[in-house]
C-alpha cells in the first residue's frame, strides 16, 4: 500500500469532492509546506537474499519560522523525517532476522537525531557458531547530534503513532539486552549492557563554541 500527501501552501487544506454517485472523497491536510510518503507491505529481492516488511514513512517539511510565511523575513528550514513501525527484515533467508523494529530519525540543519529499537535473532548456519538465546537480543540505538532536546510525534495513516523524545545532545547511546552463547557453550554472557558517548558542551552550551567541548 502506498500513499502520498503533499501541501505546498502554508495553510491547512480541507475539501470534499462529490461524485455523481457513491461516497465522496475528503481531502484533509495540515499546514504545509510538506511532502509525505507512506509505504506498507513486504518487499522481497530476487532470490530472497533480503526481505523487508512493515510500515514506513518518509516526510520532508518546511519550518516557516516565527513569521509563518514561506520565504518571509524569518528564515525557513527543512526538516526530514524517516520512520518505521513494526518492521521486520530477514537477511540471507533466515541467517539474520530483525523483528519489532520501531524507529524515528529527524534530520535538520542542527543535525541528526533519532532512535530505533529491534529484536535480533540468528538462524541457519550462524546459530551453530553463536546463539542469541530463545528470545534474541533486544537492541536499541539513540543518537542526538544537536545541542537541544528533540521531541516529535509521527502519525501514520492508521494505528498508533511513534514518539521520539531525546534529551539534549550531542550523544550516541547503544543498549543491548539478552543472552549470547558461543559455539559449544565455551562462553555465555547475559544481561543488559549500555554504551554511551556524550559531549560536554562547556559553559557556553554550544557545539564547537568558545568554551572547550
Amino acid at each position: 500500500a502506498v500513499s502520498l500527501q503533499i501541501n505546498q501552501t502554508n495553510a491547512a487544506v480541507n475539501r470534499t469532492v462529490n461524485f455523481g454517485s457513491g461516497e465522496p472523497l475528503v481531502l484533509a491536510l495540515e499546514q504545509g509546506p510538506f511532502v509525505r510518503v507512506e509505504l506498507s507491505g513486504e518487499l522481497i529481492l530476487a532470490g530472497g537474499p533480503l526481505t523487508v516488511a512493515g510500515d514506513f514513512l518518509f516526510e520532508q517539511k518546511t519550518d516557516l519560522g516565527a513569521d509563518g510565511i514561506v520565504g518571509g523575513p524569518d528564515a525557513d528550514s527543512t526538516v526530514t523525517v524517516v520512520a518505521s513501525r513494526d518492521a521486520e527484515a530477514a537477511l540471507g533467508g533466515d541467517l539474520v532476522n530483525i523483528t519489532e523494529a520501531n524507529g524515528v530519525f529527524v534530520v535538520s540543519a542542527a543535525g541528526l537525531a533519532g532512535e530505533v529499537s529491534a529484536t535480533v535473532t540468528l538462524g541457519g548456519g550462524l546459530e551453530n557458531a553463536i546463539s542469541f538465546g530463545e528470545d534474541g537480543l533486544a537492541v536499541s540505538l539513540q543518537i542526538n547530534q544537536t545541542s537541544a532536546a528533540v521531541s516529535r510525534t509521527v502519525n501514520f495513516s492508521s494505528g498508533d503513532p511513534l514518539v521520539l523524545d531525546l534529551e539534549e545532545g550531542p550523544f550516541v547511546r547503544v543498549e543491548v539486552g539478552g543472552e549470547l552463547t558461543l559455539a559449544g557453550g565455551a562462553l555465555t554472557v547475559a544481561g543488559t549492557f549500555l554504551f554511551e558517548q556524550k559531549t560536554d558542551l562547556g559553559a557556553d552550551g554550544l557545539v564547537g563554541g568558545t568554551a572547550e567541548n
Side-chain angles (χ1 to χ4, degrees):
V2 181
S3 68
L4 167 67
Q5 293 182 321
I6 182 170
N7 183 0
Q8 294 184 326
T9 77
N10 63 340
V13 177
N14 294 278
R15 184 174 293 273
T16 299
V17 178
N18 294 292
F19 292 85
S21 60
E23 298 292 330
L25 293 179
V26 178
L27 176 66
L29 299 175
E30 70 266 31
Q31 174 182 333
F34 71 85
V35 177
R36 181 182 301 124
V37 178
E38 189 173 333
L39 307 174
S40 179
E42 182 179 70
L43 170 69
I44 303 176
L45 297 184
L50 177 65
T51 300
V52 178
D55 299 326
F56 303 92
L57 183 143
F58 308 90
E59 178 183 275
Q60 187 173 74
K61 189 167 186 175
T62 301
D63 185 340
L64 300 178
D67 59 7
I69 300 174
V70 178
D74 287 331
D76 300 344
S77 62
T78 300
V79 177
T80 302
V81 177
V82 180
S84 68
R85 185 183 62 185
D86 298 330
E88 300 179 355
L91 179 63
D94 68 342
L95 286 180
V96 180
N97 296 285
I98 300 172
T99 58
E100 301 173 343
N102 295 288
V104 177
F105 287 89
V106 179
V107 182
S108 67
L112 169 69
E115 67 178 341
V116 62
S117 62
T119 299
V120 181
T121 58
L122 301 179
L126 291 180
E127 62 185 359
N128 297 322
I130 185 172
S131 172
F132 290 164
E134 294 182 1
D135 298 326
L137 289 184
V139 181
S140 67
L141 165 68
Q142 292 183 323
I143 182 171
N144 184 359
Q145 294 181 330
T146 79
S147 58
V150 177
S151 297
R152 183 172 292 267
T153 299
V154 176
N155 294 293
F156 290 80
S157 57
S158 63
D160 296 329
L162 293 179
V163 178
L164 175 66
D165 190 11
L166 299 175
E167 70 267 31
E168 68 179 36
F171 70 85
V172 178
R173 181 182 300 126
V174 178
E175 186 172 328
V176 180
E179 181 181 276
L180 182 150
T181 303
L182 297 183
L187 175 66
T188 298
V189 179
T192 301
F193 305 90
L194 185 142
F195 310 89
E196 180 181 272
Q197 185 178 68
K198 189 165 186 175
T199 302
D200 185 341
L201 299 179
D204 61 5
L206 300 175
V207 178
T210 55
E212 184 177 355
N213 295 168

